[in-house]
Structure formats: structure tokens, C-alpha cells
Amino acid sequence: MIARLTSVARIAIAISGLLLATPALADRVVTDQIGRQVDIPDTVNRVVILQHQTLNIAVQLDAMDKVVGVLDEWKKQLGANYVRLAPQLPNLAMPGGLTKVNIEELLKLKPDVVFVTNYAPADMVKQIQDAGLAVVAISLLDVPPEEAVKLNPTVKDEPAAIDAGFATGVRLIADILGRKDKGEEMIAVTKKTRKLVADRLADIPEDKRVATYMANPDLTTYGRGKYTGLMMERAGARNVANSIAGFKQVTMEDVLKWNPAVIFVQERYPTLVEEIKKTASWQTIDAVKNGRIYLMPEYAKAWGYPMPEAMALGELWMAKQLYPERFQDIDMQKEAEAYYKEFYRTDYRAAQ
């Protein structure tokens, strides 16, 4: 009898030891941005980020010490110059991207949490889950779950959906990475600057707003339902592509018909500015004739998803380009320097 009890005790101790040694035990549950309940460890020390928006936020939260793997398209999505803000990026493993994953390479990294984009394929998410890893989807948009999983979701109240989704997404990322206070600080600074812009542009009627086009490679652009369209609206622009939904390719005939007075080009596509200036088909457009093609600064991230620096700085920069007389007292260099010092922990001039 004593021998049997001793044997049982040894087995119990062994099982307890195995349980204590298992890092993947879930200590809490979070709700991701496509409505899924996800079990994650109470303390997260190793994450893989397969979405560039989440990666950008993680850099600003000063949480890159916890990042062990990133998406393979980071340079394309964030721009080649971004490495100056996160010099460790080229040395990190790249076990997948926005819509794909190499599960063997991912498992080698032993992540506590894997961040993916909201529109990551269901089979990709299932593959990661089936491997025993916690998967958190980030959308930065507050829409029903059936819409949240789409690349171009239907958005009923765009300003409310983007504002709420941004705050929820930042809080979720900051919570998981142990940077709650920094996340709240990030949300607060976006609200402060956006109020300034809104107050100064409040009296401009819709028919007096500047007709504006966001140029991307291959005649792709942003219409309604994406943050870029709202960014332009808040900066006092009238997005000429507002008739389309989401991020889509248009035709040269569309652009000629719209005849924008201003063209903005994202910082990650610098060669597009000269391409537009030199291509014959663009020459009759007002923005080209009047030299109003603007390459956006690094912080004015005109992406489909809201980014903190775009909301805190980019909307202000864009408004200043469209209505310089209303923002003569604003020194964007000083604004950018203050933001970069606080969230990127570097000198903005060194990042240019």
C-alpha cells in the first residue's frame, strides 16, 4: 500500500512539474478585433507580428524587446527608411506575412502570442491555432465580426468606427505587450491634435473643400471605408475617389474625370511623384499643371488603417498643405520632433 501511494505521489509530482514547465498555459482571456476570445499568458515575453500596423505601434510603445519575428513584407509596407526607427528589424525572423505563414519557422520562435491582420485567411489562423499558439487579430476598426474579417469592410459610421477601433486596437496591443500607460498616452495625443484641426476647418462648406486624390502605384487609391479617406476629410479635403469602397484600382479615365486640384503620394512610394510629373496622360490634371503634388512625410501614414502618428501629425500636415493660411503658426518640424522624441525615442531629423 505504501509503495502504491509513493508511486501515485511521484506521478502527481511529475505531472505538476510538467504543467509548471509549460509556457503556453493560458492565464487570461482577451477579445481580439474580429470578436474572437483568445487565451494568452498573463505575462507575454515573446511575440510574432504579421501585420505592419501592429508592428509600427509596437515600435512606438517601446516593446520591440518582446518581438521575435515579423512579417516578411515589413520593408515594402513600412518603407525602406523605417529601419532607422527600428534597427533590429533586418535581424528578426520572418515566418510569414499578411496572408501566409510558415508554421515550422513560426514554431521555432516559441511565441506567446502571434498578431495577425483582421483579413488573414481563416485557414492561416486555424493553422496557427492548431499548433497551440495564441492568435490575436488586429483591425483598428470597430465593425461587426462578419465585416471585420474583410479587406474592404462595409462601414456605416466611418468616423466613429475608426476612432473607436483605433483606441480599442491600441489598448489591446499595449495591454498584451505590457505597455498600457504608453498606449493611453498615444491615444490622448491623437485626440488633442485632431481637435485643433477640426476647430480651424469647421466653417469650410463641402463645396469649398479642395478636390484631392491619393495616388498609389498602379492607379490604386483609397475611397470610403478606409482611414485614408477619413484622414483627407478631416484635413479639409474632398476625396475625389469617395465613390469607390475601400482600396481599389481605378482607371486613368477616372482620374481625368475627377481632375483633382491636389495629389498626395505616400512616403513609401517616392518615385511615383516624378512618374506622375513626367507621364503625358497626367499633364491636363489641375494638380499637375499647378505643381500641387505632395510627397507626404514619413509620419503622415495615409494607410487604410489609422496610425497614431497619422492622426497626431499627418492630418495636421495635410490640412496645412491644403489651407496654409489657416495654419501659419504651426511649425510641423517642431511638432514632428516632439512626437518622435516621445514615441520613437529619436530625433526626427535623424529619421528623415
Side-chain angles (χ1 to χ4, degrees), residues 252 256 259 273-290 293:
M252 195 66 224
L256 290 169
N259 190 25
V273 175
E274 288 304 312
E275 181 182 325
I276 291 173
K277 287 180 179 179
K278 294 178 180 179
T279 303
S281 55
W282 289 84
Q283 301 311 304
T284 61
I285 293 173
D286 285 349
V288 179
K289 290 192 295 185
N290 298 322
I293 308 172

Side-chain angles (χ1 to χ4, degrees), residues 33 139-144 147 153-169 194 225-227 230 234 304-306 311:
Q33 288 198 285
S139 71
L140 299 163
L141 188 67
D142 184 16
V143 291
E147 291 296 326
T154 298
V155 184
K156 292 182 179 179
D157 185 343
E158 191 173 315
I162 286 176
D163 286 349
F166 169 76
T168 299
R194 281 181 33 239
K226 289 291 188 179
Y227 167 67
L230 183 62
R234 285 176 167 165
Y305 296 78
M311 299 175 86

Side-chain angles (χ1 to χ4, degrees), residues 206-268:
E206 181 65 29
D207 62 349
K208 299 297 182 182
R209 288 175 169 247
V210 180
T212 307
Y213 175 72
M214 182 63 64
N216 291 302
D218 303 317
L219 284 172
T220 53
T221 192
Y222 295 96
R224 64 185 184 279
K226 289 291 188 179
Y227 167 67
T228 302
L230 183 62
M231 179 184 189
M232 295 163 73
E233 178 184 326
R234 285 176 167 165
R238 176 173 59 82
N239 182 9
V240 295
N242 195 52
S243 58
I244 69 171
F247 177 70
K248 292 184 179 178
Q249 186 177 52
V250 297
T251 66
M252 195 66 224
E253 288 72 23
D254 289 326
V255 181
L256 290 169
K257 177 182 65 178
W258 293 332
N259 190 25
V262 168
I263 294 173
F264 287 120
V265 177
Q266 297 181 52
E267 183 264 349
R268 53 182 169 166

Side-chain angles (χ1 to χ4, degrees), residues 71 206 297 333:
L71 70 163
E206 181 65 29
Q333 185 73 21

Side-chain angles (χ1 to χ4, degrees), residues 57 92 137 166 172 197 205 222 239-240 254 269 343:
I57 290 170
L92 291 173
F166 169 76
L172 179 57
V197 174
Y222 295 96
N239 182 9
V240 295
D254 289 326
Y269 306 127
F343 292 100

Side-chain angles (χ1 to χ4, degrees), residues 23-28 39-45 111-113 134 176:
L25 279 180
D27 294 312
R28 61 186 173 123
D39 297 328
I40 68 170
D42 187 52
T43 301
V44 172
N45 294 311
D112 299 314
V113 172
I176 292 173

